[in-house]
Amino acid sequence: MHIFISYPRELETFANQLTEELKDQGISFFLDKESIGPGRWNLEVEKNIKKAKIFVVLYLPKADYQGRYFYEELEKIGEEFEKSKKLDWKKKIVIPVTFATSSNQIPSMLKLLRNYLSLSAESKQLPPFLKKHNAIETDVPGIKQSKNDGYWVRKIVKIIKDWEENKIFKWIRLVIVILLAISACGIFLFSYKEINEKTSLEEKLAAEKLKVEKKQKLINELERLRTGEYICNSLIGKYKLDHPYTFVEKNGFRTVGNVNSTWETDEKCVHDKHNNQYILKGKDTTFFDVQIFINKKYVTIATVKQEYPSEVFIDMEGKLLKRKFYATEYPPREENIADIKNENIVKLTSEQIIKEVKKVMSYRDEEHRKLETKGCSPLQGLKGGKTAVAFVCAHYTRVMEKK
């Protein structure tokens, strides 16, 4: 039995608690933070979704999952679940665990699944593809267990073990039916064997040769797809930022990379023979919105454009190793002051705005220097059928989608 655990980063603590209980019970599971290496996210997740018999989905309705890898996992789980229903003996189950606070927070996607634990008073907040299944309510009168005391972790494990026991009984019934069918079809099997033995040796050899050729062709194609040069060339192109991200936030100021930001690679990969790797060089154009916190909200006072070179390193087997960029060597070229007169919040002169912008940019430069020494971890995948690359850094993630 293999369990696939899908969770957003906000629920990582609960996911870790669940994996410890599964380990104690000797149950095999897949958790992406322990099992996936850089650059292999899409392949590893699809492989383990197909392998899994049970999916445990941890869902936080307040979070915005559109465009995040967690949301892609939900879609893949839904597709695999629908496929498994075609054959009863292959049927899989999904156990969603929601952390909702009101009846309007569970999106309809999650309500397609048969069993789920809801750490909430009601269960109308699940995403659409999970809506088909009955809920196991938890916050009902008389039940006071907290999600932190291990009660619901043990509840999930019990559902998993009960399902496995029921599956064993189904297999026993299936084996009995098969044995009866074999007994009834003895004459047919004997006849089939006689016909099979009449196949000529030449026909067998020809069939085996064809199999070997097809297998070798497939191996050669897989080897080609796994090479660093192929992966590097597949990344060549122009990319745009998928969604804004906060780069630095300090003392009531912050800089936010907006969606006008781009990444344009060179037209060819560089083979670094000395380090036995490929390097894909490119140019980043980043538009930072400089914001200050006024009257309980952030207000944009300027937008700064900065262009700087970057590099993505790929090993000979096609694994994405790291990304480096050199922003501190290339200061901003433009500083466009935002028009905030209509905001009716604060009166700032152009000189005051420029002064505040320089202060915020000094914070940003300080963070850039730290990141340039550490670098970021790149992950390759697909988003809406298009190539996407996520650069996972120390305190933010920059997701670029191919144009």
Side-chain angles (χ1 to χ4, degrees), residues 262-264 282-286 306-310 323 398:
T262 61
W263 173 46
E264 184 174 351
K283 181 182 75 173
D284 286 62
T285 301
T286 303
Q306 188 173 16
E307 295 179 340
Y308 49 88
S310 62
R323 172 187 184 254
R398 178 184 175 105

Side-chain angles (χ1 to χ4, degrees), residues 4 52 79 105 109 174 239 285 295 337 357 381:
F4 185 101
E79 293 172 0
Q105 288 181 338
M109 175 194 282
L174 180 61
Y239 295 76
T285 301
N295 293 343
I337 298 175
V357 168

Side-chain angles (χ1 to χ4, degrees), residues 81-330:
F81 177 78
E82 291 298 321
K83 291 178 183 178
S84 73
K85 292 196 302 183
K86 295 179 181 179
L87 293 174
D88 186 69
W89 60 277
K90 281 189 174 182
K91 190 173 181 180
K92 305 181 179 185
I93 68 168
V94 182
I95 306 171
V97 183
T98 68
F99 296 78
T101 57
S102 72
S103 61
N104 297 320
Q105 288 181 338
I106 303 181
S108 54
M109 175 194 282
L110 285 173
K111 287 189 177 177
L112 293 175
L113 298 175
R114 180 167 301 158
N115 301 307
Y116 72 86
L117 301 174
S118 176
L119 303 184
S120 66
E122 299 186 54
S123 59
K124 298 178 181 179
Q125 300 166 318
L126 297 173
F129 92 90
L130 302 179
K131 267 187 175 177
K132 286 183 180 176
H133 305 269
N134 300 323
I136 300 175
E137 296 292 340
T138 60
D139 283 353
V140 296
I143 298 181
K144 302 299 182 183
Q145 284 80 3
S146 165
K147 69 173 182 282
N148 297 319
D149 64 7
Y151 173 82
W152 295 115
V153 170
R154 294 190 295 273
K155 185 82 171 178
I156 296 169
V157 174
K158 186 177 185 302
I159 292 174
I160 292 171
K161 297 183 75 172
D162 289 346
W163 179 84
E164 182 66 9
E165 291 176 3
N166 291 334
K167 186 178 178 182
I168 291 174
F169 287 122
K170 285 185 178 180
W171 274 105
I172 292 174
R173 291 195 296 269
L174 180 61
V175 170
I176 293 173
V177 172
I178 291 174
L179 291 175
L180 291 174
I182 291 175
S183 299
C185 297
I187 296 176
F188 170 78
L189 294 174
F190 178 79
S191 300
Y192 178 78
K193 181 180 178 181
E194 289 293 315
I195 295 172
N196 207 35
E197 289 178 348
K198 294 179 180 179
T199 304
S200 67
L201 180 60
E202 291 79 8
E203 291 175 333
K204 289 182 178 180
L205 291 174
E208 288 299 321
K209 183 179 179 181
L210 183 60
K211 287 181 181 179
V212 172
E213 290 176 351
K214 288 183 177 180
K215 184 178 180 180
Q216 187 60 47
K217 185 177 180 180
L218 180 60
I219 291 174
N220 293 339
E221 182 64 16
L222 290 175
E223 289 295 330
R224 185 183 70 84
L225 294 177
R226 281 200 295 261
T227 62
E229 182 179 13
Y230 178 85
I231 295 297
C232 188
N233 287 328
S234 70
L235 294 177
I236 292 175
K238 298 179 180 180
Y239 295 76
K240 63 181 180 65
L241 187 66
D242 181 67
H243 55 268
Y245 64 93
T246 300
F247 180 76
V248 65
E249 186 171 5
K250 186 174 182 180
N251 300 332
F253 300 90
R254 73 179 183 182
T255 60
V256 178
N258 69 37
V259 293
N260 293 319
S261 302
T262 61
W263 173 46
E264 184 174 351
T265 72
D266 289 354
E267 295 182 355
K268 59 167 53 179
C269 297
V270 178
H271 184 199
D272 181 2
K273 296 181 179 179
H274 179 71
N275 294 305
N276 203 27
Q277 61 185 4
Y278 285 92
I279 303 174
L280 180 58
K281 297 183 178 182
K283 181 182 75 173
D284 286 62
T285 301
T286 303
F287 291 88
F288 287 105
D289 290 336
V290 179
Q291 300 178 346
I292 60 175
F293 196 73
I294 302 174
N295 293 343
K296 298 182 180 180
K297 69 176 183 178
Y298 277 104
V299 177
T300 299
I301 61 172
T303 298
V304 178
K305 177 183 177 182
Q306 188 173 16
E307 295 179 340
Y308 49 88
S310 62
E311 298 174 323
V312 175
F313 298 86
I314 306 164
D315 69 12
M316 299 303 292
E317 295 180 355
K319 180 180 179 181
L320 276 64
L321 300 175
K322 63 180 177 179
R323 172 187 184 254
K324 296 189 69 175
F325 58 94
Y326 310 95
T328 56
E329 300 176 13
Y330 296 82

